[in-house]
Amino acid sequence: MNPLAQDARAAGARVGLTGDTITINGGQPLKGRIEVKGAKNLVTKAMVAALLGETPSILRDVPDISDVRVVRGLLEVHGVKVALGAEPGELILDPKDVESAHMVDIDAHAGSSRIPILFCGPLLHRLGEAFIPDLGGCRIGDRPIDFHLEVLAKFGAVIEKLPSGIRMTAPEGLVGTKIELPYPSVGATEQVLLTAVRATGKTELTGAAIEPEIMDLINILQKMGAIISVDTDRVIRIEGVDSLTGYTHRALFDRNEAASWAAAALATNGDIFVGGARQPEMLTFLNVFRKVGGAFDIHDDGIRFYHPGGELSPVVIETDVHPGFMTDWQQPLVVALTQAHGVSIVHETVYEQRFGFVEALIDMGANIQLQSDCLGSHPCRFGQRNFVHSAIISGPTTLHAADIVVPDLRGGFSHLIAALSAEGTSRVSNVGIISRGYGDFITKLRQLGANFVVEGE
Ligand code: EPZ
């Protein structure tokens, strides 16, 4: 079995999936209410931020996903105590006894996660050393960490490449510096934030990512005692402080999960109330959802996404950094675009290879052509470099059932949506990967009336 599938099977088993295959009888609308909890791409970083505090932290609305388990395991091998709090989804993180961990233990817990790279700043501050195994993450490009290593070196980290990964030390401590990112990388921006808050002196970050998850991490760091400003020109300035306390924080909701269920409502002709979803962080998605022909109602406690009837319309989408259309939103939406009357175009400008999932959709009857040209309003980093990063989707096409192997997190959710909207019975395997980012998705599918069986149950 390939390493990804092993990882997924293990992840799936950990979240109650006996097998990692589900058999879906498609063609029925998804209808009902589900709740989204804290954002995977904030919560995992908030857990790492707790390492910086001199006192325990409390994090609320933590989703039941395997990426959280990975970070919990990594924190515990570093001596951090992680306990369940009083309310569901609450974690108490106590970094009092933080200690170095062995590379083999880090590697054993990291699995395919890229999160270990973000442990470096906090561990260098507290212990003067950090280790990173070779990193994984979804296969959606080669996922380099060059920006991260350049950032840490600029703060004064000494980086030593080992056969099994990387060892870092900070003999002179970490000192604030000026950094200009070549691309508004979310991870590299988090790397700067988690390192600069305890560095000596000031740090100025130009070309930062300002996604809502980044802003919520800044909220957390400010609660801990950090001094951080975000200027209109995406320049983030941090004044290093001598110590930080723990925090108490309720995580921002997962807008990627909310957008995925919205796409599922559209593709299955359904009606899904996503409890916990908020309009401000989904503004760009809501505009596109409406242009495709979806309808939504904003409530105080969530957003109702539904197919109002009639034909879906094609759209031209160009993914971008916030406040643009998130790259994580395009995969689920592409399934709905296969049902739109006309030709849609998606120009993926954030990752060079994020259309691997369309192969299964084409096998199911979708009409999707992939191009290496920049099919959007402006050329991106991947143009003229043979990266297949634009998709032309012609619809409507009838999707028929198929046997599918899930390739990655968001592509995997798209495959679920496709199987749910296709006529006939599909077998979707390797679904454990989906539990990396979609908490209790089997329960949620049941709540929405999906007709399926988890093999082995
Ligand atoms: C975060 O990944 C998210 N993951 C991704 O979500 C999300 O798609 C991405 O940000 C963009 O919004 C988490 O937060 C765990 P980047 P990250 O650094 O930080 C290149 C999901 O499905 N780059 O902004 O890894 C990189 O190759 C995941 O939830 C370098 O070249 O994204 C990519 O082309 C998928 N060198 C671009 O920058 C580096 O050192 C954006 O990456 C780092 C990144």
Side-chain angles (χ1 to χ4, degrees):
M1 182 182 292
N2 74 49
L4 261 189
Q6 282 164 346
D7 195 28
R9 177 185 287 276
R14 276 198 296 274
V15 291
L17 270 179
T18 39
D20 63 356
T21 300
I22 54 179
T23 302
I24 294 174
N25 300 309
Q28 301 178 42
L30 292 182
K31 295 193 173 187
R33 174 168 181 152
I34 50 111
E35 305 296 323
V36 291
K37 295 203 180 305
K40 165 180 89 80
N41 295 345
L42 175 274
V43 163
T44 47
K45 292 56 171 295
M47 293 169 73
V48 176
L51 274 172
L52 289 161
E54 299 303 320
T55 55
S57 293
I58 298 174
L59 182 57
R60 295 189 172 121
D61 270 359
V62 176
D64 179 17
I65 57 175
S66 49
D67 267 19
V68 166
R69 286 177 176 72
V70 166
V71 179
R72 175 173 183 166
L74 286 168
L75 287 170
E76 288 172 339
V77 294
H78 284 93
V80 177
K81 292 183 184 56
V82 182
L84 296 180
E87 70 174 60
E90 182 179 90
L91 284 185
I92 300 168
L93 306 116
D94 184 352
K96 182 162 49 54
D97 301 323
V98 69
E99 61 191 3
S100 280
H102 296 291
M103 187 86 88
V104 66
D105 292 334
I106 299 170
D107 203 11
H109 284 84
S112 62
S113 166
R114 291 163 52 78
I115 210 79
I117 187 72
L118 295 179
F119 275 66
C120 295
L123 290 177
L124 286 171
H125 280 307
R126 294 201 66 141
L127 306 172
E129 71 171 354
F131 297 97
I132 332 167
D134 291 332
L135 295 184
C138 284
R139 294 285 173 267
I140 51 176
D142 64 7
R143 306 299 292 277
I145 56 170
D146 52 329
F147 298 168
H148 295 256
L149 299 177
E150 286 156 22
V151 160
L152 287 160
K154 289 204 79 169
F155 277 104
V158 175
I159 297 165
E160 181 190 354
K161 301 260 187 193
L162 303 174
S164 53
I166 293 169
R167 177 175 182 266
M168 272 180 218
T169 54
E172 312 297 320
L174 298 173
V175 180
T177 179
K178 275 183 183 292
I179 293 163
E180 180 151 3
L181 289 181
Y183 182 80
S185 153
V186 167
T189 300
E190 293 159 343
Q191 186 70 251
V192 172
L193 290 168
L194 292 167
T195 306
V197 289
R198 281 284 321 282
T200 304
K202 296 180 179 177
T203 295
E204 183 182 278
L205 171 60
T206 307
I210 54 169
E211 271 67 6
E213 295 76 17
I214 297 273
M215 300 311 291
D216 210 34
L217 179 62
I218 289 173
N219 292 337
I220 287 170
L221 293 168
Q222 188 180 52
K223 285 180 175 179
M224 297 175 79
I227 301 170
I228 305 173
S229 68
V230 182
D231 287 340
T232 50
D233 54 1
R234 303 174 89 103
V235 174
I236 296 181
R237 291 179 177 82
I238 305 110
E239 296 180 30
V241 294
D242 293 337
S243 75
L244 295 168
T245 68
Y247 62 80
T248 296
H249 190 75
R250 187 171 298 279
L252 171 78
F253 79 99
D254 195 321
R255 60 203 181 108
N256 291 342
E257 179 176 1
S260 300
W261 290 111
L266 214 47
T268 63
N269 209 5
D271 185 335
I272 300 176
F273 188 95
V274 179
R278 290 168 18 96
Q279 182 180 12
E281 292 83 4
M282 296 194 76
L283 198 75
T284 304
F285 177 82
L286 294 171
N287 287 335
V288 172
F289 189 78
R290 177 170 279 160
K291 281 162 60 174
V292 174
F296 58 87
D297 301 330
I298 308 289
H299 296 261
D300 291 345
D301 61 341
I303 302 176
R304 176 195 174 208
F305 296 99
Y306 59 102
H307 190 311
E311 292 180 353
L312 296 185
S313 306
V315 287
V316 176
I317 295 172
E318 197 155 67
T319 65
D320 205 341
V321 297
H322 186 74
F325 192 88
M326 291 292 288
T327 173
D328 302 325
W329 294 339
Q330 58 99 336
Q331 297 87 352
L333 195 69
V334 162
V335 182
L337 296 180
T338 66
Q339 304 308 305
H341 286 243
V343 177
S344 298
I345 291 176
V346 179
H347 179 211
E348 171 57 63
T349 74
V350 178
Y351 286 106
E352 63 273 33
Q353 286 163 337
R354 206 167 188 184
F355 286 117
F357 72 100
V358 305
E359 190 180 332
L361 300 186
I362 293 167
D363 290 348
M364 296 174 78
N367 181 343
I368 302 174
Q369 295 163 285
L370 297 180
Q371 302 274 344
S372 59
D373 297 319
C374 296
L375 297 184
S377 51
H378 53 263
C380 78
R381 297 169 295 149
F382 307 127
Q384 319 313 325
R385 289 174 56 198
N386 293 327
F387 288 122
V388 176
H389 70 294
S390 292
I392 301 166
I393 303 113
S394 306
T397 54
T398 302
L399 297 183
H400 50 76
D403 285 357
I404 300 167
V405 180
V406 161
D408 58 58
L409 175 62
R410 305 298 174 191
F413 198 87
S414 306
H415 291 166
L416 273 190
I417 299 175
L420 289 161
S421 59
E423 294 296 337
T425 301
S426 299
R427 288 184 80 241
V428 184
S429 50
N430 210 23
V431 294
I433 284 187
I434 298 173
S435 57
R436 280 193 51 204
Y438 293 92
D440 308 318
F441 74 92
I442 292 292
T443 306
K444 289 171 181 168
L445 285 175
R446 290 196 172 115
Q447 286 168 340
L448 297 173
N451 180 343
F452 69 100
V453 171
V454 178
E455 288 189 6
E457 250 188 354

